[in-house]
Each structure stands twice: as structure tokens, then as C-alpha cells.
Amino acid sequence: MKYLVIITLSFLLLNCKSDASETVTAQSLIDKAIQVSGGDLMDSTTIHFDFRDKHYMAFRNKGVFHLERQFKALIFEEVDSINEVKDVLNNKGFMRFVDNFPMNVTDTMAAKYAASVNSVHYFSVLPYGLNDAAVNKKRLADMMIKDHEYFTIQVTFNQDGGGEDFEDVFIYWINKASYKVDYLAYSYNESDGLGLRFREVYNERYIKGIRFVDYNNYKPDDASISLIKLPELFNNNQLKLLSKIELEEVTVN
């Protein structure tokens, strides 16, 4: 009888644990991941960083945002001089300035430049931004990556408010112990088909309470493979390292 009681209790405890796990929603996991990354602090900050050959600045204040990208380029070939270019994306839209003068940019190019500016700023503060109104979140099956357990969250976007690349699909893997995003993958449309990327976090650091990371950026040989299969290829060292995504000279005010 004693053994029967022990077995019954064990069965009940396992069921309770399973039920509790199933009630953890995609939304609650994203909320926790944003929290441990300093997301609340992001609502009123000014962040500067360098990425490759460009300087970036982001000002955010409770829904008001102002994102910049600054770099030098030869804009007017007939003048043959290097120009200072500043791209600005804010709540009002996109503007390009050359040597501090506003430039007329076609709608097509403005959308392209805006998406480029937004993309770098978007990745720089992940998972902040995943609670935007256009974001749809779905919990998928938990996974093991490099001997650690992860919650799996799929993110898609509404066309309304989802930007030029609203058809992109993202998957985030949240560490069950730390609730930090350690890996992410995404699919995007290329001129010759679908592109897939898998990113591995490294060089984590907190600056004034906000988590910043760099990424190893991988791709599979076969772009037709399912996005959810990329961790398996990563575990088996079957992804190709394309580049490193490194933020330098990061400051927070």
C-alpha cells in the first residue's frame, strides 16, 4: 500500500508539472525575456553604437522613437567629395540628410532605407519590440540546443504595421533557466527565393541594466529546409558561419 501511495503521488506531481508547463504562454515567456533583458529601461533611453562602418543612435520614450544611421559616402559623383549621410526614422516617417540638408528620396528608396535602419536597431535590442501591436506570438515545442533546454516561440507579423518585411518569420529560443534569448532564426524573401539565418548569442554584457549581445550568423546549405530544423543542424555542426554581428562602442543614457 505504501508503494502504491508513493507511485500515485509521483504520478500526480508529474501531471501537475506537465499542466503547469502547458499553461506557460508565448506571451508570458516573451514578457519574462524582455524583463530580464532590461526591457522596462528601454522605454526611456538614448542608445549609441557602431555597427561595421556606420554609427547608430536610438531615442525611445514611451512609444515615441527616433532612430538614426550616420555614415560617409560619395553621394554626388560629379562633385567627387565624400558626404556625411544621416538617415532618420521616427514616428513621422523616414528622412535622409546629406551634409545636414534634407534630400528628396523616392518612396521606393525611402522604404528600402527605412527597413535597413529599422533592421539594425531591431536586432540591437531584442527581445524588446516583440510586444509591438503587429507581432503575433505562438509557442512551439520545447527543444534541446547544445545540452540546454529551451522554450520555443514563433513570431510572425501583421501586414498592417508589420513593415516592408512583414512576411518574415522568426523563431526565438528562450533559455529555461535564465529566460534569456540565446538563439534565434528567421526566414526572409530574397530575389531568388527564401533565405534562412540562424543566430547564436555571444559576448553578453549589461550596460546600465540593458542586455546587449553579439551574434554568430549562420546559414544552412539547403534553403528549403524548415526553419524549426535549424537547431538540429546547429547541434550537428552542419551550418555555415557567414558573419559576426558585433555592436561596438555601445553607450546608454
Side-chain angles (χ1 to χ4, degrees):
M1 178 63 71
K2 180 167 62 175
Y3 297 112
L4 178 60
V5 170
I6 292 173
I7 292 172
T8 302
L9 286 173
S10 299
F11 178 75
L12 290 172
L13 288 170
L14 285 171
N15 273 350
C16 288
K17 184 176 181 181
S18 175
D19 291 343
S21 176
E22 289 174 1
T23 60
V24 176
T25 64
Q27 183 62 60
S28 66
L29 291 170
I30 291 297
D31 288 344
K32 182 68 173 178
I34 292 174
Q35 179 187 347
V36 301
S37 297
D40 291 342
L41 301 173
M42 202 83 66
D43 289 335
S44 55
T45 56
T46 300
I47 298 172
H48 289 263
F49 63 89
D50 294 332
F51 176 58
R52 294 177 178 160
D53 60 343
K54 298 176 176 65
H55 180 75
Y56 291 81
M57 187 279 285
F59 167 81
R60 300 178 179 89
N61 186 17
K62 303 184 186 305
V64 176
F65 68 92
H66 180 98
L67 310 178
E68 290 187 4
R69 172 178 68 178
Q70 300 179 34
F71 59 98
K72 295 181 179 182
L74 178 61
I75 301 298
F76 307 110
E77 293 186 4
E78 64 274 12
V79 179
D80 194 27
S81 63
I82 300 298
N83 304 104
E84 297 282 347
V85 181
K86 180 168 71 174
D87 291 333
V88 175
L89 178 64
N90 57 32
N91 298 82
K92 296 180 180 180
F94 174 83
M95 283 287 294
R96 166 163 283 195
F97 298 84
V98 176
D99 296 333
N100 291 322
F101 290 96
M103 293 289 297
N104 289 323
V105 181
T106 64
D107 290 344
T108 300
M109 294 308 298
K112 178 181 178 180
Y113 295 149
S116 180
V117 172
N118 184 66
S119 177
V120 174
H121 282 289
Y122 174 84
F123 281 110
S124 72
V125 292
L126 282 173
Y128 184 84
L130 295 185
N131 275 337
D132 289 349
V135 176
N136 306 303
K137 296 172 280 283
K138 178 183 178 181
R139 184 175 172 186
L140 305 180
D142 299 349
M143 299 188 72
M144 292 286 294
I145 305 178
K146 297 296 184 181
D147 299 322
H148 293 280
E149 293 187 55
Y150 287 89
F151 299 110
T152 307
I153 307 297
Q154 177 182 278
V155 165
T156 58
F157 303 91
N158 298 328
Q159 183 171 358
D160 183 14
E164 184 182 52
D165 301 319
F166 71 92
E167 294 180 307
D168 293 355
V169 178
F170 284 74
I171 298 180
Y172 295 88
W173 286 276
I174 300 174
N175 190 298
K176 285 192 173 185
S178 67
Y179 287 92
K180 297 175 182 178
V181 175
D182 288 345
Y183 302 94
L184 65 93
Y186 59 98
S187 62
Y188 62 97
N189 291 315
E190 294 183 308
S191 57
D192 58 348
L194 197 65
L196 301 178
R197 295 292 183 268
F198 181 87
R199 291 192 178 187
E200 172 194 23
V201 163
Y202 73 97
N203 190 27
E204 176 193 84
R205 64 273 196 203
Y206 277 80
I207 301 175
K208 293 190 176 179
I210 296 175
R211 181 182 187 242
F212 294 92
V213 299
D214 297 328
Y215 296 98
N216 287 319
N217 189 33
Y218 298 89
K219 68 171 288 187
D221 289 330
D222 181 6
S224 67
I225 193 169
S226 171
L227 198 60
I228 198 66
K229 295 291 186 182
L230 294 185
E232 180 181 342
L233 297 183
F234 177 72
N235 283 334
N236 294 325
N237 299 315
Q238 293 177 325
L239 293 178
K240 178 183 178 181
L241 180 63
L242 285 180
S243 62
K244 289 182 177 291
I245 311 298
E246 298 177 327
L247 305 183
E248 300 177 321
E249 304 298 329
V250 182
T251 63
V252 178
N253 297 310

